[in-house]
Amino acid sequence: MGFIRALVDDMTSKTRWMRRAAGVSTVRLLCHEDTWAALQALPSALVHTPDHRRIEATEERITARENGMLEIVLSGPQIVRILQVTSHNSKNGSPEEQAIAERTYIGFGSVLDTVGSHHSTEEIPPVILDDRPQAPA
């Protein structure tokens, strides 16, 4: 857990990931519906905004999959928001919020580390928050 904590606390990684997220069009998130609900319930660090800038996605961007899994298409600005909220909650949330926030933050960061600043026609790999031996792709 020390490595994960160090990565969450690393402002260089956070800044790099947020800048990369701001430059992508979309990324697919694959997670259980309960995980998505927990992410949406995380308190925002940006409480000065009218809607508290919670994590959201419109229904047409959410597709139900087998076993309660969801596929959610997220835009770059939505991913920036997810990184901000999960970074905040990984340090300031309850133990449950910290666990969900850290796993999500690292999951997005791992995918964003594969994104370059050059134009590419390659699809960005999905963020998969499912640690079963054979996670759906």
Side-chain angles (χ1 to χ4, degrees):
M1 194 64 148
F3 170 73
I4 292 174
R5 171 58 56 202
L7 196 51
V8 169
D9 290 339
D10 179 10
M11 290 304 291
T12 304
S13 292
K14 180 180 177 183
T15 300
R16 182 179 68 246
W17 292 343
M18 289 181 79
R19 286 184 179 152
R20 287 183 180 177
V24 301
S25 57
T26 60
V27 171
R28 293 179 301 127
L29 168 63
L30 300 171
C31 66
H32 192 272
E33 59 193 4
D34 292 346
T35 303
W36 178 241
L39 283 172
Q40 291 180 296
L42 287 174
S44 175
L46 307 173
V47 294
H48 60 279
T49 60
D51 63 359
H52 299 291
R53 310 301 285 170
R54 296 208 182 260
I55 298 167
E56 300 174 342
T58 57
E59 284 187 33
E60 59 268 6
R61 289 184 164 201
I62 301 173
T63 304
R65 300 289 182 209
E66 293 181 352
N67 301 316
M69 296 295 288
L70 298 176
E71 179 176 330
I72 303 135
V73 179
L74 298 164
S75 68
Q78 289 172 305
I79 298 164
V80 169
R81 183 177 305 156
I82 287 171
L83 290 171
Q84 182 65 35
V85 169
T86 56
S87 173
H88 171 76
N89 281 279
S90 68
K91 299 178 210 94
N92 301 301
S94 69
E96 295 83 7
E97 290 168 338
Q98 288 180 9
I100 292 165
E102 284 181 6
R103 177 61 178 89
T104 303
Y105 184 79
I106 298 301
F108 274 93
S110 297
V111 168
L112 290 167
D113 275 339
T114 69
V115 174
S117 59
H118 58 282
H119 177 71
S120 175
T121 57
E122 291 182 40
E123 184 176 343
I124 297 171
V127 174
I128 301 174
L129 301 180
D130 182 8
D131 292 335
R132 291 181 291 172
Q134 294 181 323

